[in-house]
Amino acid sequence: QGMSNKLQQLFDEEFNTWGFDVFELSRLSEQRPLLFGGWEALLRSGCFSEFTISSEKVSAFLQQAEGLYMTEQQTPYHNNIHA
């Protein structure tokens, strides 16, 4: 509960800013920044309301895409935070 509140606060306050802290996103999302950031981007851009997109398929796609990246602990560059 606490994590989701902090994550929502991060999105509400910083998501569309140059100062958005992707490292904090990674920490708050338990090292799943691509899944949570991608979902938020699609949500905010109106993709779910504008197009007939299955939320289950989007979630599966983002999870699978993120799974192809190494984590920050595995490599400091070109990891799932960088994605």
Side-chain angles (χ1 to χ4, degrees), residues 39-56:
W39 185 273
E40 188 70 13
L42 291 169
L43 185 64
R44 286 175 181 247
S45 67
C47 284
F48 292 111
S49 58
E50 185 78 21
F51 306 104
T52 307
I53 299 176
S54 164
S55 58
E56 292 82 15

Side-chain angles (χ1 to χ4, degrees), residues 8-26:
Q8 189 59 54
Q9 182 179 0
L10 177 68
F11 284 148
D12 291 344
E13 294 175 0
E14 295 184 24
F15 191 73
N16 286 327
T17 69
W18 286 108
F20 183 69
D21 189 347
V22 294
F23 299 99
E24 182 69 358
L25 171 59
S26 182

Side-chain angles (χ1 to χ4, degrees), residues 28-73:
L28 291 173
S29 66
E30 298 177 352
Q31 285 65 55
R32 296 178 295 163
L34 184 57
L35 171 63
F36 282 83
W39 185 273
E40 188 70 13
L42 291 169
L43 185 64
R44 286 175 181 247
S45 67
C47 284
F48 292 111
S49 58
E50 185 78 21
F51 306 104
T52 307
I53 299 176
S54 164
S55 58
E56 292 82 15
K57 288 182 180 179
V58 169
S59 180
F61 170 78
L62 291 171
Q63 288 179 55
Q64 196 166 33
E66 186 157 46
L68 298 173
Y69 285 92
M70 291 185 190
T71 64
E72 183 181 25
Q73 291 74 28

